[in-house]
Amino acid sequence: MTGGGGRVDGPLVLGIETSCDETGVGIVRGDQLLADAVASSVDEHERFGGVVPEVASRAHLEAIVPTLERACSDAGVRLADVDVLAVTAGPGLAGALLVGDAAAKALAVALGKPLYGVNHLAAHVAVDQLEHGPLPEPAVALLVSGGHTSLLLVEDVTADLRPLGQTLDDAAGEAFDKVARVLGLPFPGGPHIDKQARSGNSVAIDFPRGLTNRRDLERHRFDFSFSGLKTAVARWVETQQREGVAIDVADVAASFQEAVCDVLTRKAIDAATSRGIEDILIGGGVAANSRLRAMAEERAAAQGIRVRVPRPGLCTDNGAMVAALGAELVARGRTPSRLDLPADSSQPITTVVA
Ligand code: KG4
Ligand code: ZN
């Protein structure tokens, strides 16, 4: 595997991620990625149309040891070679977080190595250094996943991330998943909408852009709202069905996706230009979306702003992002966590290390 082209020395850092439905173990040295093993329980949640916490926790328990073994084998290292451990401490599903936390603490004690309990969202920001080298700071980060949608001012990814705005209701990924369900597409819906949209007309239906009119912008300039959009899609589909009109899934997918990407990119660029910041980092599962990547690139370039988005496999949850943040914490001399660090399902972004 290739690294970010920057530091290839430094301690061997193993990162564990279990905040949602992916059991991830990543191994890095500096900003060089050595292994990124992921076991997903997504198929087990499909029939429920969303992640079931108890099912996710059990799946993590079953997957954690084999995933650790696979990561070590992929990286060509032994557990005894690991210098530093990092684990997602939050935010996420409490029971799921506990599995990774327990594993990381056990390893830290057995190996006698320091442990960092890190913020999942900060890890989504840090992961890009594995692909594109040292992070630009300050930067505006747009985090878009199944559970979160926020804009952050990143002064220092290890210590100073400030919330600028967030979703007032559904997360962007949640909106993708719910709209996919309405369209009869499998869970998780994001990748399926992305695929359908490629053959659809993005201006076929004029869906609403939440919190973009002048009055809303006064109070919610950098906030998002996707529940109105989700309802508008559902209403549109219901009306067509009632009238016996066949639904063009590709057109609905493309028009919905366009509305989401329009708002996300507009607000991210506004956040950057209003502060004179020249770099935007995009992370989280929805950052895998092909239209979001293209639109962000195009609109930012027009404003002289650079956009960095990791490859899709590093956008969705994985252990490499946790290891990447761990490596950065070590490089900047941050103090490790105590061994009784809590798994905090609602850990705020202002707490990078628990
Ligand atoms: O970051 P992530 O893997 O897990 C959370 O922390 O939530 O994000 C998962 C979300 C899901 O809602 C999924 O539908 C969405 O990311 N997603 C996408 C794409 N790939 C994954 N959404 C839009 N387009 C995609 N290509
Ligand atoms: Zn995530």
Side-chain angles (χ1 to χ4, degrees), residues 257-281:
Q257 179 175 275
E258 196 72 7
V260 175
C261 297
D262 180 18
V263 180
L264 291 175
T265 55
R266 237 197 274 180
K267 295 207 176 203
I269 291 167
D270 184 26
T273 49
S274 67
R275 285 176 169 70
I277 290 174
E278 293 175 348
D279 292 276
I280 293 176
L281 296 161

Side-chain angles (χ1 to χ4, degrees), residues 22 120 124 145-147 173-174 176-177 188-191 194 284-286 288-289 315-317:
E22 263 94 34
H120 178 82
H124 268 304
S145 73
E174 201 179 345
F176 270 94
D177 296 340
D194 195 345
V286 181
N289 185 267
C315 290
T316 45
D317 289 349

